[in-house]
Each structure stands twice: as C-alpha cells, then as structure tokens.
Amino acid sequence: LSELEALMERMKRLQEDKEDEEASQEEMATRFEKEKKESLLVISGGICAFPVQFSFDDEIVSTDVSRYIEDPGFGYKDFARRGEDHLPTFRAQDYTWENHGFSLVNRLYSDIGHLLDEKFRMVYNLTYNTMATHEDVDTTTLRRALFNYVHCMYGIRYDDYDYGEVNQLLERSLKVYIKTVTCYPERTTKRMYDSYWRQFKHSEKVRV
C-alpha cells in the first residue's frame, strides 16, 4: 500500500472498530498517558528523539527576534520533566470553552467570545473532504487526532477520546512537524514539511 492508501485503510479500520467495541475508561486513560510521555520525546532542544532519517540542527536559522518582542525568553516548556511517572494532566471537561471560557472572555471584552467561537468552529471543521486524489472522504477521525495531539503536548486530555488513534494515524515525521510548528515555530524547516504526507496537496498539508 502507498502511504496514502495505508492511512485511509487505518481510518476505515478505526471507524469499524469503534462501532464494534469501545475501549474502557481505564484503557483510554492509559493510552493518553502513553501518548503524553511520548510527546515529550518528540523534540528536545531541536533534536529529534525518534529515529527519523534527517537531522534538523543544520537547518535551524538563528535569528535575533528580541527587537520584536517584550520577553525574548518566553517560549514553550514541556509541562513535565522526563522520567516522572505521574505527569500533570488537565482534563478538558473540567474547564471547557463552551461552559466557562466563552462567558469569561465576553465579560472581559464584549462580543469577543462570539468572534472566537466562530473561528474555533471554522478551524475545527476545516476540510475539503479530500485526501490527495481521493474525494468525498470523511476526514473527521484524522482531524480529531491532529487536534487532540496538539492538546496532548500541553497535558490536556479529552475523556471521550481514544488516544490510541493518534499513534495509528500520525506518522513520526508528522508528529515532529506538528510539535515544531506548535512549540518551536522558529525551528520549522522545509525539510520537515516535505517529510510527511508526500502524496497530499500543499493546500491539505498547510491546513495541518
């Protein structure tokens, strides 16, 4: 199978498995913890911990951005130290945008909640319903894996999501790209971008 066909086959299998049997809450929690620990290893100081076939060090451009920002030291920090058994977790259901965030931002700045809500919904549902040359494809499973993987890197868990899907749908080079764009955008390189979903259109990859 090509990379694309293999991905589509995994999406189809996940959908069928979901209909046949759902994982227990305990199993889903275990899968999240595993994914969370793994996400800490994806990149550390610009070096990929996974055995992918390229190194990023030679491409990272050193740029002085201090004149553009008030706090040059501000940046992403992993939410836990490596080697810790119990990593901190924030359950998304305990403080949701719908029940808490929306009303809070509206109190701080009138109507901003409606504008943000519109943007969140648009981005979450953004799709052409295509995968490379295939049309009329339901990409919900894949988009949710991408969405939840980003949150997982910040220790945020959705109780109703099976994080086993992340490892089945997101290849290692894609995980490296996502973590770099999300946490260390200044280190993003074209080689990283070119390394995943080689058969997809640029417009589809940019949406990631």
Side-chain angles (χ1 to χ4, degrees):
L1 291 176
S2 70
E3 177 189 37
L4 171 64
E5 289 167 335
L7 176 58
M8 292 189 68
E9 184 61 35
R10 287 195 296 273
M11 287 172 59
K12 181 181 176 184
R13 195 169 60 245
L14 282 171
Q15 196 60 42
E16 291 169 352
D17 291 347
K18 199 178 292 183
E19 292 167 4
D20 293 341
E21 180 183 348
E22 286 202 14
S24 67
Q25 281 296 318
E26 185 180 344
E27 179 62 27
M28 287 168 74
T30 301
R31 291 173 184 173
F32 170 76
E33 291 300 322
K34 180 181 177 186
E35 193 60 48
K36 185 168 63 169
K37 286 178 181 175
E38 185 184 287
S39 74
L40 294 175
L41 301 174
V42 172
I43 288 186
S44 177
I47 299 171
C48 177
F50 283 145
V52 291
Q53 297 178 1
F54 48 83
S55 166
F56 307 132
D57 291 344
D58 56 341
E59 292 193 21
I60 294 171
V61 178
S62 176
T63 307
D64 180 18
V65 296
S66 60
R67 63 178 180 265
Y68 303 114
I69 53 180
E70 292 179 6
D71 182 5
F74 180 80
Y76 172 83
K77 285 188 172 55
D78 282 327
F79 57 87
R81 293 187 184 90
R82 240 177 242 119
E84 287 184 0
D85 289 332
H86 302 289
L87 304 180
T89 297
F90 180 88
R91 294 172 68 250
Q93 285 77 2
D94 291 342
Y95 190 90
T96 65
W97 165 251
E98 292 82 5
N99 297 332
H100 305 92
F102 181 84
S103 57
L104 173 62
V105 298
N106 263 350
R107 283 204 307 271
L108 298 173
Y109 190 95
S110 180
D111 293 331
I112 193 70
H114 295 285
L115 295 171
L116 288 172
D117 191 62
E118 183 184 337
K119 294 295 182 188
F120 293 157
R121 290 178 191 279
M122 182 188 73
V123 171
Y124 189 79
N125 295 308
L126 206 58
T127 181
Y128 289 132
N129 292 109
T130 64
M131 289 180 71
T133 56
H134 297 267
E135 296 183 353
D136 298 319
V137 180
D138 182 359
T139 60
T140 306
T141 307
L142 181 59
R143 287 183 287 116
R144 192 167 185 202
L146 289 162
F147 182 87
N148 287 349
Y149 182 64
V150 171
H151 286 197
C152 180
M153 288 187 293
Y154 287 89
I156 300 170
R157 179 189 170 206
Y158 291 83
D159 289 346
D160 61 347
Y161 182 69
D162 181 357
Y163 286 84
E165 294 184 9
V166 171
N167 263 340
Q168 293 187 59
L169 296 176
L170 308 187
E171 61 190 81
R172 288 182 174 180
S173 57
L174 176 54
K175 285 184 175 182
V176 169
Y177 178 75
I178 291 171
K179 181 153 188 181
T180 307
V181 168
T182 305
C183 307
Y184 314 103
E186 74 282 0
R187 298 178 185 168
T188 309
T189 66
K190 187 174 185 303
R191 189 183 296 185
M192 289 182 202
Y193 173 83
D194 290 338
S195 70
Y196 77 94
W197 288 2
R198 294 174 183 84
Q199 295 171 290
F200 283 68
K201 301 169 188 169
H202 287 299
S203 56
E204 293 172 312
K205 295 178 67 167
V206 167
R207 287 181 177 221
V208 170

